[in-house]
């Protein structure tokens, strides 16, 4: 009697040795692949069923302000037939984003306002959405959440490497399941043998038998997953939509093994059906359904941040911190520079800046920490809100306020002409250093009351002291490019009374209203000369005091200006003295009086005026 050694494994028909350990590894791989494919299939059907049965609209979520309830990559099925009037606090709705055209937002209602509109907020948001949602903007109410099914689309858009890995793993699962018999038992009859024997072995016991699981997975799994992927491809790359059947044929060239009873003979023998046999018609139908699903609108979430009082608060975009606003001025034109500390969220793409009554703008990249706003107006209060963003997801804003206030520097003294005695006339030639736009001022003092200016000059003020015979005039004009070197003659109406005059030039003066305020005072037999206060309405004016002092004899009078002022001109001739002093006034309001002292007690006039800077 012959015996078989227990140490020698029984050879298989192909000459290999059957290894139990190797079999279990194959069983584990097959079980994992089959489970993975069926999960994808069931998730797809989870979306398709309510969509067909209830006409619910699927929207794919691609951002995370509704965390942790709704994750990026989930699909929310929205009931578009809901009665908006019945919606109330706590309901998740999908609506048109008022801030981003052609975009949908899915947030939870936190308040119904008296006018029927809704105040909404993401579950992870620290603040409610800034704009109330009108009823006609509501697409519908969320009814069902299907997790994960949209992740491949997110990966394809945001992480191509991850999408490639997913595609590779999925294709591998297809191949594994499609070759289920060959992998479990290499000696099993091939597909070409057309055997109807029910395979037995470890895979049958693990998965419940090929009729229950293994067979349907082999027949329907690869084509279904090809259909899902095709739907995603069609959604992202519409021009490739005509290629999806070829993709399915490449992945599963054998197609589904349909048991169609008496129709199977016609399917097998017909010439046309033989040509079409490899086409996975089941996959075709599923593909069409998935294309419809994935072509549905994409909803996004906005304005998410941590909220300690919110039980749904979750990890969100961190806003920038330490936001400050600093003003700089170019004349009366302000520029506001914003500085901040960058967001700590690595996923942030940049910042969304919202300024009072202005469109939102984006600042990239997220490492940016400064921005210069050159579009602000002077003497205006602004509020800036700066949020970190990723896609259309926003953090809570960091805010800062500032009121712009820029004043041009005070006008500057440029030059003056020499002292010109004024008998019947005096001619002043404009100095060559004068530029177009400079203010020219001519101050005259005479013993008669008539002084005539040439054409193009304006009279600012006239002060008369007729008792002792002292008369002053202040004339002005804005210089043109042709003025330097031009002589202007002022006449005293033919009077032979002795007088005096001087021309002064100032730069940086308001071209429309060069003088802000002015006054004058006359005095008789005095040496303490005090001008009353005037009131300025703009900052950075140039304050001038102009003195005309006459003496009975030619004694060389001198005038000492107020201690707060700086003398810029003084001269005398024929018992007539002219003195001019200046001071920069930074603020507005009353200037206070200014007191000068004459070395000789006699008659005269003191004028005080404020020159406006460029506005």
């Amino acid at each position: 009697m012959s015996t078989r050694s227990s140490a020698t494994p029984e050879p298989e028909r192909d000459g290999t040795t059957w290894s139990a350990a190797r079999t279990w590894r194959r069983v584990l791989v097959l079980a994992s692949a089959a489970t993975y494919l069926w999960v994808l299939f069931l998730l797809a059907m989870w979306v398709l069923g309510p969509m067909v049965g209830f006409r619910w609209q699927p929207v794919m979520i691609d951002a995370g302000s509704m965390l942790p309830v709704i994750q990026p990559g989930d699909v929310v099925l929205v009931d578009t037939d809901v009665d908006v009037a019945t919606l109330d606090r706590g309901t998740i709705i999908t609506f048109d984003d008022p801030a981003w055209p052609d975009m949908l937002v899915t947030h939870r209602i936190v308040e119904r306002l008296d006018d029927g509109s809704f105040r909404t907020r993401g579950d992870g948001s620290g603040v409610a959405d800034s704009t109330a949602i009108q009823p006609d903007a509501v697409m519908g109410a969320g009814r069902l959440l299907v997790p994960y099914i949209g992740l491949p689309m997110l990966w394809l858009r945001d992480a191509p490497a991850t999408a490639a890995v997913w595609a590779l793993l999925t294709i591998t699962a297809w191949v594994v399941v499609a070759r289920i018999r060959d992998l479990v038992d290499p000696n099993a009859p091939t597909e070409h043998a057309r055997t109807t024997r029910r395979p037995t072995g470890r895979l049958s016991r693990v998965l419940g038998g090929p009729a229950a699981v293994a067979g349907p997975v082999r027949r329907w799994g690869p084509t279904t997953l090809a259909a899902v992927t095709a739907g995603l491809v069609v959604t992202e790359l519409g021009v490739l939509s005509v290629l999806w059947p070829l993709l399915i044929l490449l992945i599963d060239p054998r197609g589904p093994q349909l048991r169609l009873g008496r129709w199977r003979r016609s399917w097998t023998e017909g010439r046309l059906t033989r040509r079409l046999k490899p086409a996975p018609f089941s996959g075709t139908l599923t593909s069409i359904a998935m294309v419809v699903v994935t072509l549905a609108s994409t909803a996004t979430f906005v304005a998410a941040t941590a909220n300690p009082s919110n039980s749904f608060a979750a990890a969100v975009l961190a806003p920038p911190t330490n936001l400050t606003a600093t003003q700089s001025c170019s004349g009366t034109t302000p520029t506001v520079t914003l500085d901040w500390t960058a967001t700590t969220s690595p996923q942030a793409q940049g910042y969304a800046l919202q300024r009072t009554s202005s469109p939102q703008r984006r600042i990239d990249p997220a490492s940016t920490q400064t921005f210069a706003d050159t579009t602000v107006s002077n003497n205006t209060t602004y509020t800036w809100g700066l949020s970190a963003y990723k896609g259309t997801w926003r953090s809570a804003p960091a805010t800062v306020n500032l009121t712009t206030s820029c004043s041009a520097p005070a006008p500057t003294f440029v030059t003056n002409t020499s002292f010109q005695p004024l008998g019947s006339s005096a001619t002043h030639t404009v100095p060559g250093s004068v530029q177009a736009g400079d203010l020219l001022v001519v101050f005259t003092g005479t013993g008669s009351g008539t002084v005539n200016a040439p054409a193009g000059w304006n009279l600012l003020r006239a002060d008369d002291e007729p008792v002792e015979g002292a008369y002053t005039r202040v004339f002005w004009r804005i210089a043109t490019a042709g003025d330097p070197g031009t002589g202007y003659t002022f006449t005293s109406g033919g009077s032979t009374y002795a007088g005096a005059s001087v021309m002064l030039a100032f730069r940086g003066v308001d071209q429309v209203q060069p003088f802000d305020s002015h006054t004058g005072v006359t005095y008789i037999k005095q040496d303490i000369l005090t001008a009353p206060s005037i009131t300025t309405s703009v900052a950075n004016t140039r304050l001038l005091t102009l003195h005309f002092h006459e003496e009975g004899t030619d004694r060389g009078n001198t005038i000492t200006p107020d201690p707060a002022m700086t003398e810029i001109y003084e001269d005398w001739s024929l018992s007539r003295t002219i003195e001019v002093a200046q001071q920069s006034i930074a603020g507005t309001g009353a200037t206070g009086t200014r007191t000068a002292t004459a070395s000789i007690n006699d008659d005269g006039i003191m004028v005080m005026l404020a020159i406006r800077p460029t506005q």
Side-chain angles (χ1 to χ4, degrees), residues 1 24 66 79 157 161 166 173 213 231 271 301 324 378 390 409 420 440 442 475 530 536 552 581 597:
M1 182 177 65
W24 277 109
M66 286 292 286
D79 182 2
R157 186 194 68 184
W166 172 82
V213 177
R271 177 180 299 179
F301 292 141
T324 61
N378 198 19
K390 175 178 172 59
Q420 296 293 319
L440 300 178
V442 170
F475 300 97
T530 300
T536 59
T597 304

Side-chain angles (χ1 to χ4, degrees), residues 174-243:
W174 294 342
V175 173
V176 168
V177 174
R179 302 295 181 263
I180 188 169
R181 291 185 180 181
D182 298 338
L183 291 172
V184 174
D185 185 359
N187 298 304
T190 65
E191 189 69 27
H192 300 289
R194 302 266 179 207
T195 179
T196 59
R197 180 179 64 86
R198 293 169 62 88
T200 60
R202 293 177 175 84
L203 185 61
S204 299
R205 293 191 295 271
V206 171
L207 300 181
V213 177
V217 168
R218 178 178 65 82
R219 295 180 182 123
W220 301 96
T223 54
T224 298
L225 266 297
V228 173
T229 301
L232 299 178
V233 171
V234 170
T235 300
E236 294 295 325
L237 306 170
V239 296
L240 300 181
S241 58
V242 297
L243 302 179

Side-chain angles (χ1 to χ4, degrees), residues 296-359:
S297 302
T298 298
T300 58
F301 292 141
V302 297
T305 188
N307 177 11
S309 63
N310 182 2
S311 59
F312 295 107
V316 293
L317 282 177
T321 56
N322 303 320
L323 179 63
T324 61
T326 305
Q327 172 188 271
S328 58
C329 297
S330 176
T332 57
T333 301
T335 295
V336 176
T337 301
L338 303 176
D339 296 286
W340 63 88
T341 301
T343 176
T344 57
S345 297
Q347 68 270 35
Q349 295 174 268
Y351 302 94
L353 178 64
Q354 182 72 58
R355 193 188 74 198
T356 306
S357 303
S358 298

